[in-house]
Every structure is written in structure tokens, then in C-alpha cells.
Amino acid sequence: MRPPITVGIDGFPESPPAAHWAAREALLRDVALRLVHAWILLAPTDPEVTSGEDIPRGDDQNYWARRLLSDTVGELRAAHPELRVTAELVPQETVPALLAAGRDAEMLVLGSRGRGTIGGFLLGSTGRQTLARGTRPMVLVHADDGGRNADVTVGLGLRRAADEVLEFAFDAAARRGGSLRAVHAGAHRADPDATAALSAALLPWRDKYPRVPVAEEITSERAGRGVVRAAAGSGLLVLGRDGAGHGGVPRLGAVTHAAVHHAPCPVAVVPCG
């Protein structure tokens, strides 16, 4: 059995859009959806939460957390009756709990509270640490990501192999029935080496996914600005992330940092290497 898609749930407005995006993705991939709410102050208890369960308020320290998950499960099942969904409470620090939940997941989905100069600060340390340290593909969904465009954009650096990124991007476009735009930003406008390298990187994946229309783009824009601009009109932007930064400390690169703060669609971050 394939692993589930896991989505982190909290009480902020971005949680429902992230949960619904994850639910649609689970149906596309024919896998289950797992909701996780983690908080260090939760009391140890039976972790599984079901929709419509009787939750007596009383002195239950976990009442609001259980209510949040129960309501979310009920909402998802009403919107997607065929969805297989479970939910659980995890009495741990949020980042370690999400990282652990993501290790055995098809992907980990997180919500983000905004875009732009102010919204950029709203990703918060939880999102940054999880995106930087996760070992499976992670998708960041903004609260206003309401579109469901089938097309996918993938940003490529071309300095090293990007098979994990391209496999994820082509597979996502194929499942949605959309096209794929492959973008390399930061090159000289007429750089034949970059053009040749991009075409070579895409060739085996074009052969594997012959029904996915592919457009190639080389731009001299700064990398972050270029991939964000190219993602306009797409339903998903896919980027790679190296295993660690300087000194072995996991971190988000400048392009990923720009994308998760400014991209006009959900952003998938795929660990490489």
C-alpha cells in the first residue's frame, strides 16, 4: 500500500485550504490522507480522531484540538465522499512531529499565511525548519490558493542532476492532465549551453511522459524572480532543495525562499541528493 499524504493542521485560516488541496491530491494519487495536529502541551491520549465523535468538553485538555480535527475530517468527507482520511493528535513539538510524520508520507502539505513583503514573514520558523529539513516532497499552500489550474511549472538550476524534481513535476502534470513549463533563470539571454543543458535534462522525462506538453524557457532574470514570474497561471510550482547548506545545516536556498513567499500558486519543495 502506498503511503498517505500528510497535512499539518492548526487553528489558522490557512489550514482548510491546505487540507482541501491535500485531499484533492490524495484523490489524484489514489492514496489516503492523514491529518496531523501537533502541540507540545497536548495531553497524551488516544491519538486518532474521527468525524462526528462525541467530544465532551469537561476538563479535557485536548478538547479544542480534537474539535478542530473532528470538524476538519467531517468537512473533508462531506466535500470528498470517496476520500480515505484519518486524523491524529501528536503531543510533541510541532517541527519534530511534522518531520516524523512526513518521513513515511507520499508528501507533506503545510499551510502559509500570506504572500508578499508582509506575508513573507508569516511562513514562520515552523514552516522554514520543516521545508529545510524534510526528507520527502513538501507542498506549501497559501490561504488564498483557490485556483485549480492543471499546468505545472518547474524551476531548474542545471548545475547538478535534478531527476527527483523532474519526476515529481512530470508526474504532477500527467496526473492533472496539464502541461509543464521548465524554467532556468539567471542565464544570459542567448546562452546556448544553458539551452542545451535544459533540453538534455528534460529529454528522458519527455520520453517517459509523452502525453505531457512541455515548454522550455531560459531567462536572464534573477532566479527567484524568474521562477515566480514563470509560475503565473500555473497550479503548482516545483523546486528542488539540496540536502544541507553550509556546514551541513539545513536551510532554504534563495530561490525557494522567494518562491514560498511570492509564488502565485502552491509550491512543492523536493529534496534532492
Side-chain angles (χ1 to χ4, degrees):
M1 181 179 295
R2 290 173 57 188
I5 289 175
T6 295
V7 56
I9 297 294
D10 56 27
F12 290 100
E14 70 272 15
S15 277
H20 280 278
W21 189 95
R24 294 191 295 271
E25 192 69 18
L27 292 173
L28 276 176
R29 295 169 179 264
D30 192 24
V31 299
L33 179 66
R34 176 190 183 198
L35 311 182
V36 172
H37 176 68
W39 189 31
I40 191 63
L41 296 181
L42 290 173
T45 184
D46 179 3
E48 189 170 346
V49 177
T50 58
S51 170
E53 66 177 347
D54 182 21
I55 306 176
R57 184 165 183 178
D59 296 325
D60 183 5
Q61 180 176 328
N62 298 342
Y63 172 80
W64 289 112
R66 296 182 70 84
R67 180 85 267 163
L68 170 66
L69 285 185
S70 177
D71 290 350
T72 304
V73 171
E75 182 180 321
L76 291 174
R77 285 179 173 161
H80 313 283
E82 66 277 37
L83 179 69
R84 293 170 286 153
V85 56
T86 62
E88 61 187 80
L89 300 175
V90 182
Q92 298 177 9
E93 293 282 359
T94 304
V95 173
L98 290 175
L99 291 173
R103 278 195 289 270
D104 60 355
E106 180 109 341
M107 70 176 68
L108 176 63
V109 180
L110 304 172
S112 177
R113 299 173 203 168
R115 291 188 178 88
T117 303
I118 296 176
F121 292 99
L122 295 178
L123 175 59
S125 62
T126 295
R128 286 195 300 272
Q129 291 183 62
T130 306
L131 289 175
R133 296 165 56 192
T135 57
R136 298 288 298 155
M138 295 155 286
V139 179
L140 190 76
V141 180
H142 297 90
D144 55 350
D145 279 330
R148 304 187 189 182
N149 193 302
D151 297 336
V152 175
T153 295
V154 58
L156 297 172
L158 302 180
R159 292 184 177 179
R160 61 190 67 186
D163 287 343
E164 298 98 331
V165 180
L166 287 170
E167 181 176 23
F168 187 96
F170 270 88
D171 181 71
R175 290 181 185 277
R176 289 161 170 75
S179 63
L180 180 69
R181 177 183 296 274
V183 179
H184 172 65
H188 295 295
R189 189 170 298 278
D191 188 339
D193 292 336
T195 301
L198 180 59
S199 296
L202 294 171
L203 182 59
W205 299 100
R206 285 179 181 268
D207 292 341
K208 186 173 181 179
Y209 293 90
R211 295 185 178 180
V212 175
V214 180
E216 302 178 25
E217 179 179 339
I218 302 290
T219 175
S220 59
E221 294 174 277
R222 293 179 60 182
R225 183 186 299 272
V227 297
V228 168
R229 189 264 313 152
S234 294
L236 183 67
L237 171 61
V238 182
L239 299 170
R241 190 217 69 202
D242 290 339
H246 296 295
V249 178
R251 66 178 183 86
L252 294 180
V255 177
T256 302
H257 191 272
V260 299
H261 290 159
H262 301 286
C265 61
V267 178
V269 178
V270 182
C272 303

